[in-house]
Amino acid sequence: MKKIIGIFIVGCILSAGTALAEEARLEASLEMNSVSLGNPVYLYLTFYGSRDIRAPEVDQVDGLTIKYVGPSTKISVVNGRVSQSVRHSYLVISKKPGRYELGPFFTHFEGKTYKGGPVTLTVSGAPSQPAPTASASPPSIRQSPPSAPDAEESSYISDNIFMRIEVPKRTAYINELIPVTIKVYVRGVGLKDIEYPVYAHEGFAAEEFEEPEKRSEVYRGQRYDVLVFQQDISGIKEGKFKLGPAKLNCKVITRRQRSRRSSFFGASIFDDDFFSMGPGYKVYPVELSAKPVEIRVLPFPVPGKPPGFKGAVGDFSLDVNIEPRKVKAGDPVSVRMAVSGLGNMATVTEPRIAVGDDFKTYEPQVTQKEYKKIYEQIVIPKSHKVTAVPEVTFSYFDPGTQSYRTLKKGPFSIDVEKRPESEKAVTMVTLPGEDRLLYPEEDLGRDIVFIKESLGGTAGSLRPVYTKPAFWGFHLFAVVLFAGLYVSHANKRRIRTDKTYAKFLKAPKKARKGISRAAAHISKDEVELFYDVIFRTFQDYLSGKLDLPRGGVDYAAVREKLAPSGCPEDLLNEISRIFEECEMARYAPSSVDSSRAEETLNRVKKAIGQLERLRI
């Protein structure tokens, strides 16, 4: 009876919070409304009323470069009023001075369209110079970086679960890659539904998180299981900035301890069956946090900066290949330039070739691998007097030596022959200063049909073409082909624009790949890894098929989605059993063996097959 009363009270509180939920709206704002040329500024699009809103589309504006940075969410309850919001951040980089209007902006929520008003950004013509302060003197080029990694520790939720941020240095240059490591330490308990960490990184551009890594570490004399998240960031403007605080949401699994207190308010509500995952265990959500760290971003040194430097930072090498080496005047020569090494590959631009007026050039084609960028540029010698492709240079800043370096290759000798007289051409006169256009000389008389002086013999009237079956067959084929292409294009466009539909289509394919990986672990007798993979595969499949956030896939959410579609009760029960078995096996692996794992694999296959036949 006490539990029923407690659940009723909690439900009333939640209902009251929902009733007083904040009105939905979209607001747009700029970090600063006036900046100097080249100084980045953040654009914030904040939606109030929900945290599950995709990033609104922001159109590019001539004179600006706009890049999406990421979201941050917030929820609070004050005097029974629930306030939740999501803020999407965009980095705006100016390329020329002027007054720019961004927006209006639009987003969709629960079938309605919400509009955020436009914002105005004024960009002045002169780049800003950092003001000197008494505490921050100009950095010395010979300054050495810290020799040991630096870390900040979070406030403990308990001695068994905490999170830390680690960075290898507290001082870096603009565009220099800084590896950020976020570690979650766990001892004596289990975790589930672990989300990726979120942390503030104003003043930095961030790459995608790598796949998290599991390891074991000894910290302060205790051994912990550690989940490691790694991400590279780079400073985009000079100054002092903070990384963090970092937040991570997950659920903790502990063994149940029954309370003997008689008062409902004296007992923990997490002991109730409503919040538990099964007999002997209880599950409750937590939010881990880690304290912020401060990083100082330095500008590029002015002394020694080469004229061809465009912001590349790292340690690189240059390789150049020219082919063919023997051509005729007007024939193309391919210059293949490969920049490889360790550093921020996003800042690497094409090497310079001082071709002058002896060559006609085109924009290079760019391909990128993990640690290599390849530029293929076509140059065309205009005259047989050309003897070489000029020198190729590439300049970058090496943060290890804190100095600029310029790589040089060439010049490359080529043999350019004069076009023989047999290859006659007609010269087309163009505007002064433009290149001459050469066209092969035509052989007059072959492509000119002269007017006949007499009609000659005539034939009988021909059958009209529209009376022939081939005429109608061709047009029918054209209509069917056009309809097929239209449907295919509409489907591809919907996949690109409708993320929910795309996840729905990709769910079965991703599930087949996950099942194959899980089966491979069974063959190697890796039961613990099998259950980890098969659980994530089933969770990802249901997330895509039912349009659920990955962290919100549990039995209650799945049942709520499937029940209206007429899903059989035995299939719902089977999904519940799969969830329970996977959870128990992942956190108590000694209780299962390979034969039971293979049975679980077959049950997951069967459940996915039945779900594919349902009209959801």
Side-chain angles (χ1 to χ4, degrees):
M1 185 64 183
K2 293 179 180 179
K3 292 184 178 180
I4 296 175
I5 296 174
I7 294 174
F8 175 75
I9 294 174
V10 172
C12 291
I13 294 173
L14 294 177
S15 300
T18 304
L20 296 175
E22 188 174 11
E23 181 182 359
R25 67 184 189 279
L26 177 66
E27 292 184 358
S29 62
L30 285 168
E31 177 189 15
M32 295 180 290
N33 293 99
S34 180
V35 296
S36 57
L37 182 63
N39 189 27
V41 64
Y42 279 97
L43 166 67
Y44 300 119
L45 299 183
T46 307
F47 187 84
Y48 296 92
S50 175
R51 295 180 295 166
D52 190 20
I53 299 295
R54 295 189 180 93
E57 294 290 337
V58 177
D59 296 332
Q60 293 294 328
V61 178
D62 185 28
L64 302 176
T65 298
I66 304 175
K67 299 180 180 179
Y68 180 63
V69 176
S72 60
T73 59
K74 180 181 179 181
I75 185 169
S76 61
V77 180
V78 180
N79 295 328
R81 182 180 181 84
V82 179
S83 175
Q84 54 181 335
S85 63
V86 57
R87 185 176 75 174
H88 294 281
S89 302
Y90 303 78
L91 187 66
V92 182
I93 305 173
S94 57
K95 295 186 289 186
K96 56 184 180 181
R99 188 173 184 272
Y100 302 94
E101 183 174 280
L102 307 178
F105 310 96
F106 300 91
T107 191
H108 305 282
F109 176 62
E110 293 184 346
K112 297 182 180 179
T113 300
Y114 294 86
K115 176 182 177 181
V119 293
T120 301
L121 175 65
T122 303
V123 180
S124 60
S128 63
Q129 298 294 332
T133 62
S135 60
S137 59
S140 170
I141 294 181
R142 295 185 178 181
Q143 179 183 3
S144 59
S147 58
D150 215 338
E152 287 290 343
E153 184 176 317
S154 74
S155 301
Y156 291 112
I157 289 180
S158 72
D159 290 338
N160 295 330
I161 309 173
F162 57 92
M163 184 169 68
R164 303 171 69 225
I165 298 179
E166 294 181 357
V167 291
K169 56 172 65 177
R170 293 294 186 90
T171 302
Y173 287 91
I174 291 176
N175 291 346
E176 181 181 354
L177 285 184
I178 306 171
V180 177
T181 303
I182 299 178
K183 294 182 178 180
V184 179
Y185 290 79
V186 182
R187 179 169 63 93
V189 296
L191 297 182
K192 62 175 287 188
D193 298 340
I194 304 172
E195 299 180 1
Y196 276 88
V198 176
Y199 63 96
H201 50 270
E202 181 181 355
F204 295 90
E207 299 183 5
E208 295 290 334
F209 272 106
E210 299 178 6
E211 189 73 19
E213 174 188 354
K214 296 179 182 178
R215 65 174 70 157
S216 178
E217 287 186 10
V218 175
Y219 180 73
R220 293 183 178 176
Q222 298 288 339
R223 180 166 294 278
Y224 290 87
D225 292 324
V226 183
L227 186 62
V228 182
F229 298 89
Q230 292 181 321
Q231 182 183 39
D232 287 335
I233 64 172
S234 57
I236 57 177
K237 55 182 179 180
E238 60 182 285
K240 289 185 178 181
F241 305 97
K242 285 187 178 182
L243 296 181
K247 304 290 184 181
L248 182 143
N249 293 313
C250 61
K251 294 179 181 177
V252 176
I253 304 173
T254 60
R255 290 190 175 275
R256 179 183 301 278
Q257 295 180 355
R258 294 291 183 180
S259 174
R260 297 180 180 273
R261 300 178 185 179
S262 58
S263 170
F264 169 78
F265 292 99
S268 170
I269 62 173
F270 299 123
D271 288 338
D272 295 332
D273 292 336
F274 178 79
F275 295 91
S276 67
M277 64 164 288
Y281 292 90
K282 61 180 179 180
V283 180
Y284 54 92
V286 297
E287 182 184 78
L288 303 180
S289 64
K291 294 180 181 179
V293 297
E294 187 174 77
I295 296 181
R296 184 183 180 194
V297 180
L298 306 176
F300 293 120
V302 175
K305 181 184 293 187
F309 176 69
K310 296 183 180 179
V313 176
D315 185 9
F316 303 106
S317 61
L318 175 65
D319 182 50
V320 181
N321 183 39
I322 306 291
E323 60 179 21
R325 293 295 185 100
K326 186 174 182 179
V327 295
K328 297 176 183 178
D331 287 346
V333 177
S334 175
V335 183
R336 186 179 186 273
M337 303 167 288
V339 180
S340 58
L342 298 177
N344 192 344
M345 297 303 296
T347 63
V348 173
T349 57
E350 69 272 13
R352 297 178 64 196
I353 310 178
V355 291
D357 296 331
D358 293 331
F359 292 87
K360 182 176 179 62
T361 61
Y362 296 90
E363 287 294 323
Q365 299 294 321
V366 186
T367 57
Q368 181 174 348
K369 299 179 181 179
E370 188 172 3
Y371 298 110
K372 178 183 288 188
K373 255 187 179 179
I374 300 172
Y375 296 87
E376 294 192 14
Q377 185 163 13
I378 299 298
V379 297
I380 300 176
K382 298 179 181 179
S383 168
H384 66 282
K385 297 179 181 180
V386 175
T387 59
V389 174
E391 183 179 65
V392 178
T393 61
F394 175 72
S395 299
Y396 66 93
F397 180 75
D398 186 348
T401 60
Q402 300 182 354
S403 62
Y404 296 97
R405 294 191 62 190
T406 298
L407 306 177
K408 300 180 179 180
K409 297 288 184 179
F412 306 91
S413 60
I414 58 175
D415 184 7
V416 182
E417 297 179 354
K418 187 177 182 180
R419 284 196 172 273
E421 291 295 328
S422 59
E423 299 182 10
K424 295 181 180 180
V426 177
T427 302
M428 304 298 293
V429 179
T430 58
L431 295 176
E434 294 190 4
D435 298 330
R436 295 183 303 165
L437 304 178
L438 302 179
Y439 292 91
E441 186 177 39
E442 297 180 358
D443 189 3
L444 296 178
R446 291 188 177 181
D447 58 348
I448 297 178
V449 179
F450 296 96
I451 300 175
K452 285 189 175 184
E453 296 180 356
S454 62
L455 181 61
T458 58
S461 61
L462 299 176
R463 180 183 175 187
V465 67
Y466 60 83
T467 62
K468 297 181 179 180
F471 173 82
W472 295 106
F474 172 78
H475 284 78
L476 179 61
F477 172 76
V479 171
V480 173
L481 178 62
F482 175 78
L485 291 175
Y486 176 81
V487 172
S488 176
H489 174 74
N491 187 55
K492 290 180 180 179
R493 183 178 180 182
R494 184 180 177 187
I495 291 174
R496 289 195 304 268
T497 57
D498 190 342
K499 301 300 183 183
T500 301
Y501 181 66
K503 285 174 59 179
F504 180 85
L505 290 184
K506 293 177 181 178
K509 184 178 180 180
K510 291 180 65 177
R512 287 194 294 270
K513 290 182 179 180
I515 288 172
S516 298
R517 291 197 302 270
H521 287 304
I522 293 180
S523 62
K524 298 177 184 178
D525 200 23
E526 298 172 342
V527 178
E528 184 176 357
L529 290 176
F530 161 77
Y531 275 102
D532 188 56
V533 172
I534 199 67
F535 178 76
R536 283 189 286 124
T537 298
F538 197 45
Q539 189 181 47
D540 288 346
Y541 172 79
L542 292 172
S543 172
K545 202 71 177 176
L546 304 179
D547 189 25
L548 292 170
R550 184 178 177 186
V553 177
D554 54 23
Y555 176 68
V558 171
R559 185 181 183 90
E560 182 180 352
K561 285 280 188 177
L562 288 177
S565 63
C567 180
E569 189 66 28
D570 57 346
L571 178 55
L572 293 173
N573 293 334
E574 179 67 8
I575 294 173
S576 175
R577 287 192 293 268
I578 291 173
F579 274 168
E580 292 178 1
E581 185 172 337
C582 288
E583 292 287 356
M584 294 298 296
R586 292 170 70 205
Y587 301 107
S590 59
S591 63
V592 294
D593 53 21
S594 298
S595 60
R596 186 173 176 184
E598 192 161 350
E599 179 184 348
T600 301
L601 179 66
N602 294 329
R603 290 169 59 193
V604 170
K605 287 182 182 178
K606 183 178 179 182
I608 291 177
Q610 290 177 304
L611 288 170
E612 283 297 301
R613 290 190 290 271
L614 282 178
R615 296 182 63 86
I616 300 175

